Amino acid sequence: MKFKLLLAFSFWMLVMAVSCNKDDISFDAPSQELSFSKDTVFCDTVYHQVRSETYAVKVYNNEDKDILIPRIHLQKGATSLYKINVDGKPGYDFKDVPLRKKDSLYIFVEIAPEANGPEAIAEDKILFQSPVGQQQVVLFSVVQDAEFFIKTPTNPNIITSDATWNNNKAKIIYGDLTIDQNVILNIQQGTKVYFHKNSGMKVLSGATLNINGTLANNVTLRGDRNDPAYDTIPKNWNSIKMEAGSTLNMNYARLFGGTKGLEMKQTNANISNSFIHTFQEYGIYAVASTITAKNLVMNNCGESAVGIFKGGTHNFTHCTIANYSDLLHSYNRNGILAANEWTNASGVKEYGALIFNLRNSIVYSDRDNSVNFEQTPPNLFNFTIQNCLIKYSGTSEAGFDFNTSPGVIQSLKNLDPLFVNYFAAKMNLRVKQNSPAIGKGSTAVAATVPTDIANVSRTSNPTVGAYQYF
């Protein structure tokens, strides 16, 4: 018993000693500049009255003494759109902030702004004042006014009459947004459509989705996380699901970052001058559909950039379809997978006649075959590969014989197209000056799509793919 009492007494004496030592700490004025984990905080794009993610800045005391930082504050003070938390305390102005020698503290930053127009820059600074001088960390964000489409148990989130979206406000979708039967939705140039996690769009039978971008003002459809890391990550949202009998007209659009991009069943789709990339499964997933695609650029899709099932009629002209994703390396990563077979939700196999025409296009990847055909039965499958450059290794895996098939016309295989850069962060699928794709296109085919995706003429010496070399 005495031993236990002695042990307890010793413990409390130690606690008191530590407490006394803590009280005796003396903090001096800084004699050196502080250092920071970053000198600029780029917050992701934020929307009207929606709080951003929280960002962290570490502040380091590199001196061999404990210091008191005289003042840390937001330059715009209480009027700032930003909120900061310094070492666990919220506010906008902090005096005499202690920082132990060779130690650091966190400053957490977030923004929840009021939007005064379609898009604006929100900038402020965290200022650090001491006898050494004033230092700063810049805070920067793009603020967009936004219109929200939120599905709830009491709101099915359905567009029931013809509507037009323009670029005066970003469109933020939570849950599925449905375009009702026989309704037309027009999305005008420069409009930005953001999907929250596990959200998407459904276009019902008879409905039409018109995406009307321009070269100078593309329409953007993507996840609602805008910080740069999410530009190259898939599965941030679900898909645009086109039901049987629906119509899609898409021109100058950028669609990326979801599970499937365009998910179509018996859909009539016209796609021009657009970018579809970085999807977990398919960029285009089409069942018994009709697709006409011109100047289409695709890359970085897990299963296949284009997946065609149960036949249909498909014409791809002057397209560049690549698949090089390191992030999705465990997936099949086809360029084009085309089959006249499809297994429905009940597990029953269905078949349809397939017409597939690929002209003046590049389909390439780091896989053995970038084009794969599944012809079951073969008499329902008709294809043409004309003046194309594709990655191809053999007949058994690809499902057709490149060397002897009458459907393969004046095409090249296994010649690296020499893209300027195929990484997701760069997405520059132009070709270099010594590319084998230059001048290999059919002039007759090029005449049907006389300008490339950047509006450059290709009527003479056409380069295969979506970009004309000049």
Side-chain angles (χ1 to χ4, degrees), residues 414-432:
N414 300 332
L415 296 178
D416 191 331
L418 300 177
F419 295 125
V420 171
N421 201 317
Y422 55 74
F423 292 107
K426 302 294 183 181
M427 279 301 295
N428 188 350
L429 292 175
R430 294 180 181 275
V431 296
K432 298 176 182 178

PDB file of all heavy atoms in Angstrom, residues 414-432:
ATOM      1  N   ASN A 414       0.616  -0.778 -86.171  1.00  0.00           N
ATOM      2  CA  ASN A 414       1.766  -0.849 -85.259  1.00  0.00           C
ATOM      3  C   ASN A 414       2.858   0.189 -85.547  1.00  0.00           C
ATOM      4  O   ASN A 414       4.015  -0.013 -85.194  1.00  0.00           O
ATOM      5  CB  ASN A 414       2.385  -2.251 -85.263  1.00  0.00           C
ATOM      6  CG  ASN A 414       1.393  -3.308 -84.819  1.00  0.00           C
ATOM      7  OD1 ASN A 414       0.474  -3.031 -84.059  1.00  0.00           O
ATOM      8  ND2 ASN A 414       1.566  -4.526 -85.306  1.00  0.00           N
ATOM      9  N   LEU A 415       2.479   1.298 -86.153  1.00  0.00           N
ATOM     10  CA  LEU A 415       3.411   2.412 -86.312  1.00  0.00           C
ATOM     11  C   LEU A 415       3.029   3.478 -85.288  1.00  0.00           C
ATOM     12  O   LEU A 415       1.925   4.030 -85.345  1.00  0.00           O
ATOM     13  CB  LEU A 415       3.346   2.986 -87.733  1.00  0.00           C
ATOM     14  CG  LEU A 415       3.772   2.053 -88.861  1.00  0.00           C
ATOM     15  CD1 LEU A 415       3.609   2.752 -90.213  1.00  0.00           C
ATOM     16  CD2 LEU A 415       5.209   1.580 -88.683  1.00  0.00           C
ATOM     17  N   ASP A 416       3.908   3.740 -84.352  1.00  0.00           N
ATOM     18  CA  ASP A 416       3.620   4.705 -83.300  1.00  0.00           C
ATOM     19  C   ASP A 416       3.208   6.039 -83.926  1.00  0.00           C
ATOM     20  O   ASP A 416       3.958   6.621 -84.714  1.00  0.00           O
ATOM     21  CB  ASP A 416       4.864   4.902 -82.435  1.00  0.00           C
ATOM     22  CG  ASP A 416       4.589   5.689 -81.161  1.00  0.00           C
ATOM     23  OD1 ASP A 416       3.659   6.534 -81.171  1.00  0.00           O
ATOM     24  OD2 ASP A 416       5.303   5.471 -80.164  1.00  0.00           O
ATOM     25  N   PRO A 417       2.012   6.536 -83.587  1.00  0.00           N
ATOM     26  CA  PRO A 417       1.570   7.809 -84.194  1.00  0.00           C
ATOM     27  C   PRO A 417       2.358   9.014 -83.703  1.00  0.00           C
ATOM     28  O   PRO A 417       2.254  10.094 -84.285  1.00  0.00           O
ATOM     29  CB  PRO A 417       0.100   7.909 -83.772  1.00  0.00           C
ATOM     30  CG  PRO A 417      -0.016   7.035 -82.566  1.00  0.00           C
ATOM     31  CD  PRO A 417       0.972   5.926 -82.745  1.00  0.00           C
ATOM     32  N   LEU A 418       3.156   8.828 -82.659  1.00  0.00           N
ATOM     33  CA  LEU A 418       3.993   9.903 -82.121  1.00  0.00           C
ATOM     34  C   LEU A 418       3.150  11.098 -81.674  1.00  0.00           C
ATOM     35  O   LEU A 418       3.264  12.218 -82.177  1.00  0.00           O
ATOM     36  CB  LEU A 418       5.047  10.339 -83.141  1.00  0.00           C
ATOM     37  CG  LEU A 418       6.029   9.250 -83.601  1.00  0.00           C
ATOM     38  CD1 LEU A 418       6.971   9.800 -84.665  1.00  0.00           C
ATOM     39  CD2 LEU A 418       6.819   8.711 -82.409  1.00  0.00           C
ATOM     40  N   PHE A 419       2.295  10.829 -80.691  1.00  0.00           N
ATOM     41  CA  PHE A 419       1.523  11.910 -80.096  1.00  0.00           C
ATOM     42  C   PHE A 419       2.452  12.886 -79.386  1.00  0.00           C
ATOM     43  O   PHE A 419       3.465  12.498 -78.800  1.00  0.00           O
ATOM     44  CB  PHE A 419       0.520  11.355 -79.082  1.00  0.00           C
ATOM     45  CG  PHE A 419      -0.550  10.492 -79.684  1.00  0.00           C
ATOM     46  CD1 PHE A 419      -0.765   9.205 -79.218  1.00  0.00           C
ATOM     47  CD2 PHE A 419      -1.356  10.971 -80.716  1.00  0.00           C
ATOM     48  CE1 PHE A 419      -1.757   8.401 -79.760  1.00  0.00           C
ATOM     49  CE2 PHE A 419      -2.346  10.174 -81.266  1.00  0.00           C
ATOM     50  CZ  PHE A 419      -2.553   8.887 -80.789  1.00  0.00           C
ATOM     51  N   VAL A 420       2.083  14.146 -79.402  1.00  0.00           N
ATOM     52  CA  VAL A 420       2.862  15.148 -78.668  1.00  0.00           C
ATOM     53  C   VAL A 420       2.895  14.786 -77.191  1.00  0.00           C
ATOM     54  O   VAL A 420       3.941  14.806 -76.551  1.00  0.00           O
ATOM     55  CB  VAL A 420       2.270  16.557 -78.878  1.00  0.00           C
ATOM     56  CG1 VAL A 420       2.942  17.572 -77.954  1.00  0.00           C
ATOM     57  CG2 VAL A 420       2.426  16.973 -80.335  1.00  0.00           C
ATOM     58  N   ASN A 421       1.746  14.422 -76.631  1.00  0.00           N
ATOM     59  CA  ASN A 421       1.686  13.968 -75.240  1.00  0.00           C
ATOM     60  C   ASN A 421       0.356  13.270 -74.998  1.00  0.00           C
ATOM     61  O   ASN A 421      -0.696  13.847 -75.255  1.00  0.00           O
ATOM     62  CB  ASN A 421       1.826  15.148 -74.270  1.00  0.00           C
ATOM     63  CG  ASN A 421       2.264  14.699 -72.885  1.00  0.00           C
ATOM     64  OD1 ASN A 421       1.769  13.715 -72.356  1.00  0.00           O
ATOM     65  ND2 ASN A 421       3.197  15.429 -72.302  1.00  0.00           N
ATOM     66  N   TYR A 422       0.411  12.032 -74.525  1.00  0.00           N
ATOM     67  CA  TYR A 422      -0.832  11.299 -74.306  1.00  0.00           C
ATOM     68  C   TYR A 422      -1.195  11.161 -72.833  1.00  0.00           C
ATOM     69  O   TYR A 422      -2.181  10.506 -72.490  1.00  0.00           O
ATOM     70  CB  TYR A 422      -0.777   9.906 -74.947  1.00  0.00           C
ATOM     71  CG  TYR A 422       0.377   9.031 -74.522  1.00  0.00           C
ATOM     72  CD1 TYR A 422       0.406   8.434 -73.277  1.00  0.00           C
ATOM     73  CD2 TYR A 422       1.431   8.777 -75.402  1.00  0.00           C
ATOM     74  CE1 TYR A 422       1.454   7.621 -72.898  1.00  0.00           C
ATOM     75  CE2 TYR A 422       2.485   7.962 -75.038  1.00  0.00           C
ATOM     76  CZ  TYR A 422       2.496   7.381 -73.776  1.00  0.00           C
ATOM     77  OH  TYR A 422       3.537   6.576 -73.404  1.00  0.00           O
ATOM     78  N   PHE A 423      -0.426  11.755 -71.920  1.00  0.00           N
ATOM     79  CA  PHE A 423      -0.760  11.659 -70.508  1.00  0.00           C
ATOM     80  C   PHE A 423      -2.035  12.446 -70.213  1.00  0.00           C
ATOM     81  O   PHE A 423      -2.301  13.485 -70.822  1.00  0.00           O
ATOM     82  CB  PHE A 423       0.393  12.158 -69.640  1.00  0.00           C
ATOM     83  CG  PHE A 423       1.598  11.278 -69.697  1.00  0.00           C
ATOM     84  CD1 PHE A 423       2.731  11.664 -70.383  1.00  0.00           C
ATOM     85  CD2 PHE A 423       1.588  10.035 -69.077  1.00  0.00           C
ATOM     86  CE1 PHE A 423       3.846  10.842 -70.443  1.00  0.00           C
ATOM     87  CE2 PHE A 423       2.692   9.205 -69.141  1.00  0.00           C
ATOM     88  CZ  PHE A 423       3.825   9.612 -69.824  1.00  0.00           C
ATOM     89  N   ALA A 424      -2.806  11.952 -69.244  1.00  0.00           N
ATOM     90  CA  ALA A 424      -4.120  12.537 -68.973  1.00  0.00           C
ATOM     91  C   ALA A 424      -4.031  14.008 -68.610  1.00  0.00           C
ATOM     92  O   ALA A 424      -4.891  14.801 -68.980  1.00  0.00           O
ATOM     93  CB  ALA A 424      -4.807  11.756 -67.849  1.00  0.00           C
ATOM     94  N   ALA A 425      -2.989  14.399 -67.889  1.00  0.00           N
ATOM     95  CA  ALA A 425      -2.865  15.786 -67.464  1.00  0.00           C
ATOM     96  C   ALA A 425      -2.609  16.721 -68.639  1.00  0.00           C
ATOM     97  O   ALA A 425      -2.909  17.906 -68.574  1.00  0.00           O
ATOM     98  CB  ALA A 425      -1.756  15.920 -66.425  1.00  0.00           C
ATOM     99  N   LYS A 426      -2.038  16.192 -69.722  1.00  0.00           N
ATOM    100  CA  LYS A 426      -1.699  17.017 -70.885  1.00  0.00           C
ATOM    101  C   LYS A 426      -2.763  16.915 -71.980  1.00  0.00           C
ATOM    102  O   LYS A 426      -3.167  17.902 -72.567  1.00  0.00           O
ATOM    103  CB  LYS A 426      -0.338  16.593 -71.450  1.00  0.00           C
ATOM    104  CG  LYS A 426       0.798  16.671 -70.448  1.00  0.00           C
ATOM    105  CD  LYS A 426       1.093  18.094 -70.028  1.00  0.00           C
ATOM    106  CE  LYS A 426       2.272  18.149 -69.092  1.00  0.00           C
ATOM    107  NZ  LYS A 426       2.570  19.532 -68.656  1.00  0.00           N
ATOM    108  N   MET A 427      -3.185  15.696 -72.289  1.00  0.00           N
ATOM    109  CA  MET A 427      -4.220  15.449 -73.295  1.00  0.00           C
ATOM    110  C   MET A 427      -3.953  16.185 -74.608  1.00  0.00           C
ATOM    111  O   MET A 427      -4.824  16.826 -75.169  1.00  0.00           O
ATOM    112  CB  MET A 427      -5.594  15.817 -72.742  1.00  0.00           C
ATOM    113  CG  MET A 427      -6.217  14.756 -71.858  1.00  0.00           C
ATOM    114  SD  MET A 427      -6.433  13.169 -72.682  1.00  0.00           S
ATOM    115  CE  MET A 427      -7.636  13.610 -73.923  1.00  0.00           C
ATOM    116  N   ASN A 428      -2.714  16.126 -75.081  1.00  0.00           N
ATOM    117  CA  ASN A 428      -2.390  16.733 -76.366  1.00  0.00           C
ATOM    118  C   ASN A 428      -2.124  15.616 -77.359  1.00  0.00           C
ATOM    119  O   ASN A 428      -1.002  15.140 -77.491  1.00  0.00           O
ATOM    120  CB  ASN A 428      -1.179  17.654 -76.235  1.00  0.00           C
ATOM    121  CG  ASN A 428      -0.924  18.458 -77.501  1.00  0.00           C
ATOM    122  OD1 ASN A 428      -1.532  18.201 -78.534  1.00  0.00           O
ATOM    123  ND2 ASN A 428      -0.042  19.417 -77.418  1.00  0.00           N
ATOM    124  N   LEU A 429      -3.169  15.194 -78.059  1.00  0.00           N
ATOM    125  CA  LEU A 429      -3.057  14.079 -78.988  1.00  0.00           C
ATOM    126  C   LEU A 429      -2.829  14.545 -80.424  1.00  0.00           C
ATOM    127  O   LEU A 429      -3.153  13.833 -81.377  1.00  0.00           O
ATOM    128  CB  LEU A 429      -4.284  13.178 -78.883  1.00  0.00           C
ATOM    129  CG  LEU A 429      -4.386  12.421 -77.550  1.00  0.00           C
ATOM    130  CD1 LEU A 429      -5.685  11.633 -77.474  1.00  0.00           C
ATOM    131  CD2 LEU A 429      -3.205  11.495 -77.357  1.00  0.00           C
ATOM    132  N   ARG A 430      -2.253  15.731 -80.564  1.00  0.00           N
ATOM    133  CA  ARG A 430      -1.699  16.100 -81.863  1.00  0.00           C
ATOM    134  C   ARG A 430      -0.508  15.177 -82.151  1.00  0.00           C
ATOM    135  O   ARG A 430       0.037  14.551 -81.245  1.00  0.00           O
ATOM    136  CB  ARG A 430      -1.209  17.551 -81.848  1.00  0.00           C
ATOM    137  CG  ARG A 430      -2.310  18.586 -81.673  1.00  0.00           C
ATOM    138  CD  ARG A 430      -1.728  19.977 -81.662  1.00  0.00           C
ATOM    139  NE  ARG A 430      -2.743  20.995 -81.483  1.00  0.00           N
ATOM    140  CZ  ARG A 430      -3.461  21.525 -82.469  1.00  0.00           C
ATOM    141  NH1 ARG A 430      -3.255  21.106 -83.716  1.00  0.00           N
ATOM    142  NH2 ARG A 430      -4.363  22.448 -82.235  1.00  0.00           N
ATOM    143  N   VAL A 431      -0.101  15.121 -83.400  1.00  0.00           N
ATOM    144  CA  VAL A 431       1.045  14.285 -83.743  1.00  0.00           C
ATOM    145  C   VAL A 431       2.260  15.158 -84.046  1.00  0.00           C
ATOM    146  O   VAL A 431       2.138  16.319 -84.442  1.00  0.00           O
ATOM    147  CB  VAL A 431       0.736  13.365 -84.948  1.00  0.00           C
ATOM    148  CG1 VAL A 431      -0.374  12.392 -84.587  1.00  0.00           C
ATOM    149  CG2 VAL A 431       0.373  14.181 -86.184  1.00  0.00           C
ATOM    150  N   LYS A 432       3.431  14.573 -83.854  1.00  0.00           N
ATOM    151  CA  LYS A 432       4.681  15.287 -84.103  1.00  0.00           C
ATOM    152  C   LYS A 432       4.974  15.334 -85.612  1.00  0.00           C
ATOM    153  O   LYS A 432       4.356  14.626 -86.405  1.00  0.00           O
ATOM    154  CB  LYS A 432       5.820  14.603 -83.357  1.00  0.00           C
ATOM    155  CG  LYS A 432       5.639  14.596 -81.845  1.00  0.00           C
ATOM    156  CD  LYS A 432       6.755  13.821 -81.156  1.00  0.00           C
ATOM    157  CE  LYS A 432       6.539  13.768 -79.650  1.00  0.00           C
ATOM    158  NZ  LYS A 432       7.593  12.965 -78.962  1.00  0.00           N
TER     159      LYS A 432
END
